[in-house]
């Protein structure tokens, strides 16, 4: 699989349900970030988890990181129709110096039905 | 809350024409990036810029591309002679001393 591959590619759920999206990566990372993109719009930063962290919470978001499996998950609890968007994981490499470029996955397209 | 801005939001150009995409990063940030996203594809890194020079560029960032920070606030991406395959959404991002990159709303470029 390619760096930062998410699955599922598309997810459709009912409002109020939880949504779980997964991301896998290949190389050693310094951090992993999740972003959200509404259709055709900009990338909004959601949460960053460092390589030495295992779990992080922000409001209804919960992110886990398993560096042994090179994978991360994003859980959105009690989803709302407004959560409908594409969700991307992006990894920051280890020892990237001043660059810190992000490597992106294809994203998960989440549809939350009212 | 400070944010990254980009202009224009949309640009349509003819193949072979030059385009300049403009970005105003967050004011105290030091690291600047351009990424692009072709419709339906991954976001791709183009170039990073720090201390008035390119720190890394991707294979996509060939001689047709250049970046500049002409003053204390703007960060521009120039495509000298656009090709059809340059049609994409172009995102500027900036970073301070932390790891988080903050993205602008993007410029949708269409090359005809």
């Amino acid at each position: 699989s390619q760096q930062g591959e998410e699955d599922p590619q598309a997810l459709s759920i009912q409002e109020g349900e939880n949504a779980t999206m997964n991301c896998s990566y290949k190389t050693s990372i310094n951090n992993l970030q999740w972003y959200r993109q509404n259709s055709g719009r900009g990338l909004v930063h959601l949460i960053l988890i460092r390589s030495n962290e295992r779990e992080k919470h922000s409001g209804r978001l919960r992110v886990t990181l398993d560096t042994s499996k090179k994978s991360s998950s994003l859980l959105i609890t009690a989803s709302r129709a407004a959560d409908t968007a594409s969700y991307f994981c992006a990894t920051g490499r280890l020892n990237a110096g001043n660059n810190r470029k992000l490597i992106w996955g294809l994203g998960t397209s989440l549809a939350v039905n009212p | 809350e400070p944010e990254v801005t980009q202009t224009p939001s949309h640009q349509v150009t003819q193949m072979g024409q030059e385009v300049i995409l403009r970005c105003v990063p967050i004011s105290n940030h030091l690291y600047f990036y351009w990424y692009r996203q072709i419709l339906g594809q991954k976001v791709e890194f183009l170039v990073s810029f720090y201390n008035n020079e390119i720190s890394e560029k991707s294979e996509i960032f060939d001689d047709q591309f250049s970046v500049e920070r002409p003053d204390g606030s703007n960060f521009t991406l120039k495509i000298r002679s656009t090709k059809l395959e340059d049609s994409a959404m172009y995102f500027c991002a900036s970073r301070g001393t932390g790891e988080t990159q903050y993205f602008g709303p993007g410029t949708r470029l269409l090359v005809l």
Side-chain angles (χ1 to χ4, degrees), chain B residues 68-76:
Chain B
E68 198 177 32
R69 189 154 161 82
D71 53 42
S73 59
N74 290 284
F75 179 50
T76 62

Side-chain angles (χ1 to χ4, degrees), chain B residues 50-68:
Chain B
Y50 168 71
N51 200 24
N52 282 319
E53 60 182 25
I54 290 173
S55 46
E56 185 172 345
K57 57 184 181 180
S58 72
E59 291 175 357
I60 303 165
F61 195 88
D62 62 21
D63 291 344
Q64 294 301 314
F65 290 86
S66 62
V67 289
E68 198 177 32

